[in-house]
Amino acid sequence: METITTPTGPPVAAAPAGRRRARLLAVLAATVATLVVWVVAEPIAGVELAVQGSGGDQSVTPVAVAVSTVVAGLAGWALLALLERFTTRPRAVWTAVALGALVVSLLGPLGGGVGTAATVTLVVMHLAAAAVLVPLLRRTAGR
């Protein structure tokens, strides 16, 4: 945790508002990144983004992309906050878990994408989200 030395007393815990804002911006930036990939792929390049579902193929909509990215980002944020409370090395532990989660998340599009173009695009979306979330959330972590 960061500390601030005051001229009249001992160090006090830094206000977490800046950390919360940075984490919120990281989640929003990741969401924008995945939506940019969706826009380039679907309306511009004409890729039909679909995944295999239990009831047949399901279209990947921008709402689904945004909601999935926000949920993943908030989950990463929550895990980081817990690790900061209960571990001595939250940054290192969180980074390892986040990269492991990325690898596991790639199994979805690799096994469920409908067609090569959709599969590649979905993998790129996962990588785009991770490329934003991992370094930005990691930067906000306590040492």
Side-chain angles (χ1 to χ4, degrees):
M1 180 173 290
E2 298 175 346
T3 58
I4 299 172
T5 304
T6 61
T8 59
V12 296
R19 184 176 286 181
R20 281 195 301 269
R21 186 177 66 234
R23 290 177 182 181
L24 177 60
L25 290 174
V27 172
L28 293 175
T31 304
V32 169
T34 56
L35 286 171
V36 166
V37 174
W38 184 90
V39 167
V40 169
E42 181 100 10
I44 294 175
V47 174
E48 286 190 42
L49 291 177
V51 293
Q52 299 168 358
S54 59
D57 295 347
Q58 296 177 336
S59 181
V60 177
T61 66
V63 172
V65 171
V67 169
S68 298
T69 307
V70 168
V71 168
L74 293 176
W77 178 351
L79 176 62
L80 181 55
L82 285 172
L83 290 170
E84 286 172 328
R85 281 185 172 251
F86 298 111
T87 66
T88 57
R89 298 184 55 209
R91 181 180 294 191
V93 173
W94 184 86
T95 302
V97 171
L99 294 176
L102 169 62
V103 170
V104 171
S105 80
L106 291 174
L107 297 175
L110 290 173
V114 177
T116 303
T119 300
V120 169
T121 302
L122 293 168
V123 166
V124 170
M125 280 184 193
H126 283 242
L127 294 174
V132 174
L133 283 173
V134 172
L136 292 183
L137 288 179
R138 183 181 194 286
R139 185 183 323 170
T140 69
R143 293 183 183 201

